[in-house]
Amino acid sequence: MKIFKIIIPVVLAAICMYAAWSCSDAQGSDTSMPDVVDYNFHIRPILSDRCFKCHGPDANKRQANLRLDTKEGAYAAFKDNAKAHAIVPGDVKNSDAFQRLITKDTALRMPSMKSNLVLTQYEIDLIEKWIEQGAVYKPHWSFIKPAKLDLPEADEAWVRNDIDYFVYAKMKERGLSPSKETDKERLLKRVSLDLTGLPPTLEMQDRFLKDTDPKAYEKIVNELLANKHFGEKMAAPWLDVARYADSHGYQDDGLRTMWPWRDWVLKAFNDNKPYDQFLTEQLAGDLLPNPTQDQRVATAYNRLHRMTFEGGSIAEEFRQDGINDRVMTAGYGFMGLTMECSRCHDHKYDPISQRDYFSMAAMFGDQNENGLLSFHGEVPPPFVRLHKSE
């Protein structure tokens, strides 16, 4: 029997939210104006980059008592002028914030000259159209439940599935046209590299070129999806996000046995494990009823932070560093949010307060582990012994 150790947590609870979609850049003179200006896709990136530093969530840095990250703050009347508002839905002329964007008076123009920030004409036009259409605010995109959208208009002769409609619409918005359909050799190489990270074998290429079946491409895609290398290709980005390493990260950077967790991730992708199970087993697999050995291995995700045996290390300091690491990783890995800014203050760009951060940190801190190795580099408990037959 082969015996090895893998570290696991004792107590964790699962918290997650799905990232509904990512914000797109709204810049460039070759970009056409969208029919409907969306707050999260088009406006929030602009306000976050140019305005939230002085008029955002951070009360300590907020100027002019103006908050533009919420509709309540943006629609409210100014304290010194009850008839004036930063944004008036549907009324550009009476939206003081917009007028500050286009004024010729450099003493009044926003962003201020000393900030060295400017808006392109396209961005100004986007904000103008957004206000005209009602200046509709939305929650942070990662807090919005995914919803099925109506298909946009597209060239029916070009599209083959629902995704193609959105690809075609975005190309038209960017002033682009579809390329000509490529030959089978290039098509196979592209899909093979996309799904497995490897070029196709000569045998696969010959077989695909000779296959005249209209579903030849669909068959080769299914074959690649069933290939073990598919899991390896899909797992690589997650291993990076989850900060995977088979070493401790400090000083001599000694060996740490974490590859069983890596293999669990590869298997999860190859087995097409449902996302909710993928998330739950990593965060709290040991708390499931009658957890299997694999579910316990999955929770090693929570012990991937760096560890040290440096003399004079303070246990509580490294325990807190480990907690912070778990909060950050769960934030950008599972929730589509960056959490670390709110460790020191209310987040300046995302809707996360310092209270939110430490509430989450309290959950991730409920385990008996401080991140310190023994002098000989031995793994601190809790850990589990895994048995593998010869």
Side-chain angles (χ1 to χ4, degrees), residues 3-151:
I3 301 177
F4 50 90
K5 298 176 182 178
I6 181 169
I7 47 183
I8 64 168
V10 176
V11 178
L12 272 179
I15 290 181
C16 76
M17 298 198 69
Y18 291 88
W21 48 75
S22 60
C23 296
S24 61
D25 292 331
Q27 300 197 31
S29 59
D30 59 341
T31 303
S32 61
M33 187 65 57
D35 294 333
V36 178
V37 180
D38 182 88
Y39 175 74
N40 279 330
F41 278 101
H42 304 110
I43 304 303
R44 193 176 193 279
I46 302 172
L47 298 182
S48 177
D49 188 45
R50 322 296 165 76
C51 307
F52 285 179
K53 181 179 180 181
C54 299
H55 305 295
D58 189 352
N60 294 324
K61 298 292 184 180
R62 195 177 302 143
Q63 297 183 20
N65 197 34
L66 173 60
R67 186 169 182 177
L68 293 175
D69 62 305
T70 66
K71 66 179 182 180
E72 292 80 9
Y75 297 169
F78 293 122
K79 287 189 175 181
D80 57 350
N81 185 354
K83 294 184 179 181
H85 303 258
I87 294 178
V88 180
D91 189 346
V92 174
K93 289 185 178 180
N94 288 312
S95 294
D96 192 67
F98 180 78
Q99 295 303 317
R100 288 290 194 99
L101 297 179
I102 61 175
T103 181
K104 301 298 183 182
D105 188 342
T106 57
L108 298 176
R109 188 185 307 156
M110 289 292 163
S112 64
M113 296 291 289
K114 64 180 181 180
S115 72
N116 293 319
L117 298 172
V118 296
L119 274 71
T120 66
Q121 186 59 49
Y122 177 75
E123 291 170 332
I124 293 174
D125 292 343
L126 273 175
I127 294 174
E128 181 178 20
K129 187 170 184 178
W130 173 65
I131 295 174
E132 290 174 345
Q133 293 181 340
V136 177
Y137 274 79
K138 290 183 177 181
H140 189 280
W141 60 267
S142 70
F143 294 163
I144 299 177
K145 183 179 180 179
K148 188 172 183 179
L149 302 176
D150 295 331
L151 297 178

